[in-house]
Amino acid sequence: EIVMTQSPATLSVSPGERATLSCRASQSVSSNLAWYQQKPGQAPRLLIYGASTRATGIPARFSGSGSGTEFTLTISSLQSEDFAVYYCQQYNNWPRGLTFGGGTKVEIK
Amino acid sequence: QVQLVESGGGLVKPGGSLRLSCAASGFTFSDYYMSWIRQAPGKGLEWVSYISSSGSTIYYADSVKGRFTISRDNAKNSLYLQMNSLRAEDTAVYYCARDLPTIDYWGQGTLVTVSS
C-alpha cells in the first residue's frame, strides 16, 4: 500500500500570506495526485488533480506542483475562506485503492 | 446539477449490520465509477470500496474485506453498501463519491455509529 504523509499537521498563517503544504508518497505515484479542501461539517472539495491542474471553479491562488514522491500545494494569498483542512490523495494504483494523506490544517495566525 | 444523497446510517451494536444507500441525480449514473469513502470522527479520509460503472469490477479496502459488500442498481440510479459484522472502528461518516479516479462529487455523508 502506498502511504501518503502530509506536513506540517497544522500551519498557522495570517490572511494575505502564502501557505505551502507538502505531501510525500512512500513510492512514486507519477503525477497521479489530487488535493482536496475540507471545511468543518462539509464534504471535501476537489482542488487539484494530475498534481497541478486546477479543478473547475478553483481560484488561481491555488497551485499544485511535484511528481514522483514529492508534492506541494501552494495558496498564494490566503483568504478567510481558505482556512480549512487539506488532504492529498494518490490514485496511481486506482481502482485497486485510493489513499489519502493525514491532512494539514491551515489555521488563522 | 449533480447530487449524491446518502441514507441508512445510524446507531448499531458491534456485530450488527447496516445497509447504506446513495441516490444519484443530475448525471448519467450508469456511465460512472463510484466509491464509498469514510471519515472517522476527527480523523482523515479512508477509501472503503470501489465499483465499476457496470458493477462487474469491485475492490475493497483490507479493513472491510469480507464484511462489506458494495453494489449498484443503474436502473434506480443508486449505490449501496451492505455492512456486516460491524466493529467500533467502523464508526465514521460514510460518503458516496463519484470516482474519476479523483473524486469530483461527494455526498453530504451519513453517520454510522457502532457502539453497545
Side-chain angles (χ1 to χ4, degrees), chain A residues 1-24:
Chain A
E1 179 188 319
I2 300 174
V3 177
M4 307 302 292
T5 303
Q6 290 187 242
S7 61
T10 304
L11 187 62
S12 298
V13 185
S14 299
E17 288 188 341
R18 182 187 195 92
T20 303
L21 289 66
S22 296
C23 175
R24 173 177 293 178

Side-chain angles (χ1 to χ4, degrees), chain A residues 78-96:
Chain A
L78 271 158
Q79 306 298 303
S80 57
E81 61 267 29
D82 300 335
F83 292 96
V85 179
Y86 293 82
Y87 293 96
C88 62
Q89 172 228 330
Q90 71 80 21
Y91 49 96
N92 194 59
N93 56 347
W94 178 87
R96 286 181 170 79

